[in-house]
Amino acid sequence: MATEASAPRHIRLTSHQGGHGALPIQWGAATPAERGPVVGTTTRRSHRNVIGTHSGSYSVYRALAVAAGALTRDHKPDLTNTAPTDVIGPYPQWTEPEKIVGLDPWGAQVADVFAGELQAGYDIRPTIAITKAHVILPEVIEGLLNGRLKPDGRFLTEGGAACVTKAAIEPVWWLPGVARRFGCSEADLRRVLFEETGGMYPELVTRSDLEVFLPPIGGQTVYIFGDPRDLARPEVELTARVHDECNGSDVFGSDICTCRPYLTHAIEECIQGAQRGGVGLVSYSRKEGRALGEVTKFLVYNARKRQVGGDTADQYFARTECVAGVQDMRFQELMPDVLHWLGVRKIHRLVSMSNMKYDAITNSGIEVVQRVDIPAGLIPADAQVEIEAKKAAGYFTPAGAPDEEQLKQTKGRSL
C-alpha cells in the first residue's frame, strides 16, 4: 500500500478547477460590489472565476520562476503604499457593458473596493497600476534647444523632462462583449482561441459559465500630460494619440517607418496642449509589427528589399501578405476601451491619420474634432515607401482639403 509521500501525484491539466468558493462576475454592474472581483490567481484554485492568469504575456515568466524555485506558489504581494497616485473614475462608461470589454475598469482600485473580499482570503490582484514619472526624449530636448518647445516647470522642465501620469493596464476580456465587437459568436471566438493557442486554455470550450478571460498578450501603457480628471471634461482641449508598438523604430530609431517620429511628434503636441490649458494623452499598445510580431516583420523587410526592382510601394502589402497571410492584424475594435476607462467623450486633436483608428474611436461614441498630421520634415527618407503604400491602400485620410497638389506637398500622411 502506497504511503501519502510515495503515492503518485495526479495533476489536473486545466487552467481552472473552479466553481466552489468562486465569486460571480456581473460585467458592467453599477458598483464594484455588484460587479465582483476578477480572481485570476492560482493560490486557491477554487476561488478562481476567470480563464487564464494575471500579468498577460508575463504569466509565462512567472511560471518559469516557480519552476526554477525562485518564486513560491503561494506568494501574495504586499500592496502597502502601491495605491494609484491619481484616482481614475468611476465614469458612466464603466457601467455600460458594451463600452469596456477589454480591461477591468476597477483594476487599479481592488485594494479599496474589494477590501472585504481580500480580508476574507481572496487573492485579488490589481490589473492596472497608476504612477507619476518624467519622460525624457532627445527630440523634446532638441525642441527646447531650437525654441520649438518652451519649459514651464509644470509640464516641461528646463532640462527637457516631460512630467506625466502613467498607467499600465493588463488585458481582461469579457468574452461575450469581445465576440460582439468582432461580429462573431462567442462560441466561435472561444473555439478559435482554444485551437490557435494549441489548446492552452481548455476552459474556453469546456466552461461556458466563465465569461472573463485573461489572455497571455501584451497590455497597454497610457501617458497623461496634465490633470487626468480633465480627460473626462469635453470642454477641456484634449490632444491624443493611440500608438501601436514598433520596437525597431520607437526604441532603436529604425528609419524604415514613421513610428518613432509620429510618437515623439504626438508627445510634443501633448506637451503644448497641456501648456495651453488642455490635457494630453498617449496610449501605447503592445502590437508589434502590426500585431504580426517582430520576426514576421523582419522577414517582410527582407522580402521587400530583395525583390526584383527593390522596395516599392505597389508591392509593400503584397510582400506582407505572402509572409503573414494578411496585411495587418491590428484590429482596433478593443482600442477605444482605454479611452472610455479614462472617461473620454471628446478628442479635440487626434494625432493620427489612420482611418482604422479614427473609425474605431468615433464608432464607439467618442467625438473627434480634428486629425493632426505628422510634419513632412519628420518622415525618414526610407519610410517614403511605407507612406506611399498606405496612401494608395487608403490607410489614412489627409488633413484639410484633399486636392492633388496638397497631397503632393504633404507626403507623410501616416498612421
Side-chain angles (χ1 to χ4, degrees):
M1 181 176 176
T3 64
E4 183 177 340
S6 62
R9 223 178 137 196
H10 298 287
I11 301 175
R12 189 174 180 181
L13 298 178
T14 67
S15 60
H16 188 284
Q17 290 177 241
H20 177 69
L23 298 171
I25 295 176
Q26 183 183 340
W27 200 264
T31 66
E34 294 173 284
R35 207 294 303 275
V38 170
V39 185
T41 49
T42 59
T43 45
R44 291 191 64 176
R45 293 179 181 271
S46 62
H47 285 178
R48 286 167 42 80
N49 58 6
V50 302
I51 303 166
T53 59
H54 292 295
S55 301
S57 58
Y58 294 98
S59 61
V60 177
Y61 289 106
R62 186 178 65 240
L64 287 176
V66 172
L71 175 65
T72 60
R73 289 178 181 270
D74 59 355
H75 170 75
K76 289 186 179 182
D78 179 356
L79 298 177
T80 303
N81 294 329
T82 64
T85 55
D86 294 81
V87 176
I88 303 295
Y91 295 114
Q93 294 97 314
W94 293 20
T95 59
E96 299 178 47
E98 300 300 328
K99 288 291 188 185
I100 300 177
V101 301
L103 59 87
D104 177 9
W106 300 104
Q109 303 175 34
V110 297
D112 291 328
V113 299
F114 298 120
E117 289 84 350
L118 286 165
Q119 186 66 30
Y122 288 89
D123 186 3
I124 306 166
R125 307 282 175 93
T127 57
I128 300 175
I130 304 169
T131 189
K132 297 285 191 185
H134 285 169
V135 175
I136 302 175
L137 296 171
E139 292 87 346
V140 172
I141 294 174
E142 179 191 3
L144 279 175
L145 293 176
N146 65 24
R148 191 172 65 244
L149 293 170
K150 304 291 184 183
D152 61 272
R154 181 183 177 192
F155 304 112
L156 186 62
T157 69
E158 293 281 349
C163 306
V164 300
T165 299
K166 64 180 182 179
I169 304 170
E170 292 178 8
V172 179
W173 288 4
W174 179 53
L175 291 173
V178 172
R180 284 193 284 274
R181 289 276 182 94
F182 284 91
C184 63
S185 71
E186 184 185 345
D188 283 346
L189 175 66
R190 286 172 172 267
R191 176 181 55 79
V192 174
L193 286 170
F194 170 70
E195 293 174 348
E196 294 301 317
T197 58
M200 181 180 286
Y201 300 101
E203 290 70 30
L204 285 166
V205 292
T206 64
R207 293 294 302 272
S208 60
D209 58 311
L210 299 176
E211 294 187 334
V212 176
F213 176 41
L214 308 183
I217 61 174
Q220 296 171 284
T221 310
V222 297
Y223 292 82
I224 302 167
F225 302 77
D227 188 341
R229 293 171 296 185
D230 285 340
L231 294 167
R233 296 171 177 160
E235 69 275 13
V236 177
E237 180 189 273
L238 169 55
T239 301
R241 173 164 177 79
V242 287
H243 187 94
D244 294 325
E245 177 183 34
C246 179
N247 182 63
S249 180
D250 296 343
V251 178
F252 294 100
S254 170
D255 64 353
I256 200 170
C257 64
T258 59
C259 294
R260 182 181 175 93
Y262 225 139
L263 177 61
T264 57
H265 174 58
I267 289 173
E268 288 194 23
E269 290 285 341
C270 286
I271 292 170
Q272 291 173 328
Q275 290 176 331
R276 288 194 299 268
V279 61
L281 171 67
V282 172
S283 176
Y284 192 93
S285 298
R286 299 315 192 280
K287 296 180 183 177
E288 179 65 55
R290 297 196 214 117
L292 299 170
E294 201 163 35
V295 169
T296 297
K297 180 166 71 171
F298 289 5
L299 293 175
V300 171
Y301 286 167
N302 287 344
R304 283 169 48 193
K305 295 192 174 187
R306 290 171 178 167
Q307 65 189 349
V308 177
D311 193 12
T312 60
D314 63 322
Q315 290 297 306
Y316 179 88
F317 288 116
R319 299 310 303 152
T320 302
E321 285 192 82
C322 286
V323 177
V326 66
Q327 292 183 5
D328 196 334
M329 288 201 303
R330 287 177 302 166
F331 303 108
Q332 301 292 351
E333 280 81 355
L334 302 180
M335 174 267 291
D337 287 27
V338 67
L339 303 177
H340 291 298
W341 171 64
L342 294 165
V344 173
R345 287 182 285 162
K346 185 175 185 177
I347 298 174
H348 300 77
R349 307 179 76 248
L350 178 64
V351 189
S352 169
M353 294 313 297
S354 165
N355 288 342
M356 190 184 298
K357 293 175 182 177
Y358 172 83
D359 290 344
I361 291 170
T362 56
N363 289 340
S364 77
I366 296 172
E367 179 186 356
V368 174
V369 178
Q370 179 186 1
R371 298 163 76 173
V372 179
D373 202 356
I374 184 174
L378 295 182
I379 301 169
D382 208 22
Q384 291 296 338
V385 169
E386 174 201 53
I387 294 299
E388 295 302 323
K390 289 177 177 176
K391 182 188 298 182
Y395 256 57
F396 50 80
T397 298
D403 60 85
E404 289 300 318
E405 185 59 31
Q406 192 174 42
L407 290 179
K408 287 180 185 177
Q409 295 177 7
T410 54
K411 292 181 178 179
R413 315 297 190 185
S414 174
L415 295 177

